[in-house]
Amino acid sequence: MSHDSPPVRRLADWDHDRLGRLAAEHGTPLYVLDVDRVAENYERFASAFPDAHVMYAAKAHTGRAVLSKLLDTGADIECAAWGELQRAIDAGADPDTLQYTAVNPPDHDLDYAVDLAEDNPGLTVTGGARDTFDRLEARGYDGRVAIRVNPGIGTGHHEKVATGKDAKFGIPYDQVPEVAEDVAEGFDLVGIHAHAGSGVLHDDLDDHCRAIGKVADMGRKVETEVTPLEFVDFGGGFGVPYREDEEPLDMQVVGEKVRDAVGELDAQIKLEPGRYVVADAECILTEVNTVKETPAATVVGVDASLATLIRPAMFGSYHPIRNVTAPDREAEPVSVGGPCCTSADVFCTDRPIARPEREDLLAIGNAGAYGYELANQFHSQPRPAEVAIEGGETRVVRERETLDDVTSLER
């Protein structure tokens, strides 16, 4: 890893001239991905946990450019759905190294995983309900499994991502030993798994480590009372600063805190960063089309929308916004929104930005995690193109959709 790789990339750190050229060449809205930054973030994380098995949580960004780069960097891949398993394999992953974390898996997902495991017995299936193990058994599967534990402690940037206390995720903590005994009789029980939440920064770190400690305790209990384990997987959840005044995590310090929380453990520690690896490696470029002065606000209309980036509408998420065309223009409070016919289609309200004018180019930062993954076609808007920067070169890694693409499956 480059020793001058900063722990966070701010919007001001992007090459504005290059962003302007990319927007002129490829149009807007446009996702711009720095593939080298993805690798730097993964390596920084992995260096903080030298004794752990670090897997990338594919759900944060399943683009082939991301998956291929991480595989080249030495990462393994954790998948939450059958499509992610297939995309990881298409990107070059060895199926024997994959881990599939099943959450209320549809029949098709389980069928796919069981079929995949027939020729790739190294595949690990994680179940978070007794039903999942019953359904695997009914399919004749008796291979590698892990039990997802619900530690009863949720952390993260929003209640909708505090999975550690959401009954949807995992076996209730006190039921795990009994379930482990049953599972160990019919499967190769190799690990337990948990994920407390997402977007964890300084204020949530102590609670996050408390959840990690509970999961480690359960790992020791299962090893003592049921069977030796290959790993205890503590998930991901480590955040990045979306706001300009937030400081990034010192991953070396985080590594020490996690090791203290885990304590002595015979099984290997496994971690699954997703957001941390990709969030600040991508931004969205969007063009201003409307500037409207009203008594309530100065409204700036852009061609990106909640179809391009839904996180502000879905979670109330903050994403930094910068005027790429004129970053030194005097800042004024503005509200920036897109063309969708809903009040939810707003990226910020009364935020000081270098005053936008029509045809200015704006950049929306920290769009790499759950950005394109949640892009949609609301209002029949084709999804944007995505270009990748790697080694100084730029290439299109996802073509811009057309309206024919949007309607291609209609009959």
Side-chain angles (χ1 to χ4, degrees):
M1 181 181 69
S2 172
H3 292 291
D4 58 0
S5 169
V8 63
R9 167 180 276 179
R10 310 288 187 181
L11 259 183
D13 298 329
W14 289 80
D15 182 336
H16 285 30
D17 290 339
R18 178 176 227 165
L19 294 179
R21 293 194 299 271
L22 290 173
E25 180 178 356
H26 301 285
T28 57
L30 179 70
Y31 272 84
V32 180
L33 170 71
D34 186 335
V35 178
D36 295 322
R37 179 67 183 171
V38 170
E40 290 173 6
N41 288 339
Y42 172 80
E43 290 176 344
R44 185 185 318 102
F45 187 97
S47 70
F49 299 96
D51 299 323
H53 181 190
V54 179
M55 310 184 81
Y56 167 65
K59 63 181 177 290
H61 192 310
T62 53
R64 184 174 297 193
V66 168
L67 297 179
S68 296
K69 185 67 172 183
L70 287 168
L71 289 167
D72 290 345
T73 307
D76 286 328
I77 309 295
E78 180 269 338
C79 304
W82 81 271
E84 292 178 10
L85 289 168
Q86 183 63 62
R87 292 179 77 170
I89 293 167
D90 290 345
D94 177 352
D96 275 313
T97 67
L98 295 175
Q99 184 165 315
Y100 166 43
T101 307
V103 180
N104 299 336
D107 285 343
H108 176 276
D109 285 42
L110 285 187
D111 292 342
Y112 179 92
V114 169
D115 289 346
L116 184 62
E118 284 186 11
D119 296 321
N120 303 278
L123 176 74
T124 304
V125 180
T126 301
R130 287 178 181 266
D131 272 2
T132 302
F133 295 108
D134 291 343
R135 293 165 67 203
L136 286 168
E137 184 178 26
R139 286 164 169 77
Y141 181 79
D142 59 1
R144 292 167 56 87
V145 297
I147 296 172
R148 182 162 183 169
V149 179
N150 186 313
I153 301 171
T155 57
H157 69 89
H158 193 279
E159 62 181 12
K160 292 180 181 178
V161 301
T163 53
K165 63 179 180 182
D166 187 337
K168 176 180 176 179
F169 299 96
I171 305 285
Y173 190 83
D174 292 340
Q175 297 177 20
V176 171
E178 179 186 346
V179 173
E181 288 185 7
D182 293 342
V183 168
E185 290 182 4
F187 304 90
D188 181 13
L189 178 58
V190 296
I192 65 169
H193 171 283
H195 178 70
S198 183
V200 172
L201 282 173
H202 307 277
D203 292 345
D204 289 317
L205 193 55
D206 286 345
D207 281 346
H208 198 69
C209 286
R210 192 159 56 89
I212 284 173
K214 281 193 71 174
V215 176
D217 287 343
M218 183 57 69
R220 285 184 283 269
K221 185 177 181 65
V222 170
E223 287 206 305
T224 300
E225 299 180 2
V226 183
T227 185
L229 296 174
E230 182 182 304
F231 65 82
V232 176
D233 187 338
F234 299 100
F238 300 102
V240 297
Y242 282 70
R243 295 178 182 271
E244 293 88 344
D245 59 353
E246 290 176 328
E247 290 300 315
L249 294 171
D250 183 330
M251 289 312 300
Q252 295 299 322
V253 172
V254 171
E256 293 171 6
K257 283 180 173 288
V258 168
R259 283 188 289 275
D260 288 345
V262 171
E264 293 296 321
L265 191 64
D266 291 335
Q268 183 175 44
I269 294 173
K270 190 177 278 194
L271 296 164
E272 302 169 0
R275 181 191 311 275
Y276 184 88
V277 175
V278 293
D280 73 357
E282 191 155 37
C283 67
I284 296 168
L285 301 180
T286 182
E287 184 177 286
V288 175
N289 54 53
T290 303
V291 178
K292 179 171 61 175
E293 305 284 353
T294 78
T298 297
V299 177
V300 175
V302 295
D303 58 5
S305 71
L306 61 76
T308 316
L309 179 71
I310 202 172
R311 294 190 72 254
M314 189 173 182
F315 299 121
S317 301
Y318 181 101
H319 283 263
I321 301 175
R322 186 172 173 85
N323 190 328
V324 174
T325 302
D328 298 325
R329 202 179 285 155
E330 185 175 354
E332 294 184 13
V334 298
S335 298
V336 179
C340 290
C341 189
T342 167
S343 298
D345 187 23
V346 175
F347 294 113
C348 71
T349 303
D350 292 333
R351 187 187 303 177
I353 297 173
R355 179 179 171 81
E357 298 177 358
R358 197 189 311 161
E359 298 184 354
D360 278 356
L361 183 67
L362 305 186
I364 304 172
N366 279 358
Y370 310 101
Y372 211 110
E373 286 303 304
L374 295 173
N376 59 81
Q377 298 168 332
F378 183 45
H379 278 336
S380 295
Q381 295 182 85
R383 285 176 292 194
E386 183 178 33
V387 297
I389 302 168
E390 183 174 14
E393 300 296 321
T394 304
R395 69 186 191 278
V396 176
V397 294
R398 207 169 332 216
E399 299 285 348
R400 186 178 302 280
E401 286 184 340
T402 66
L403 187 57
D404 285 344
D405 295 321
V406 174
T407 61
S408 63
L409 299 180
E410 292 183 11
R411 293 290 181 271

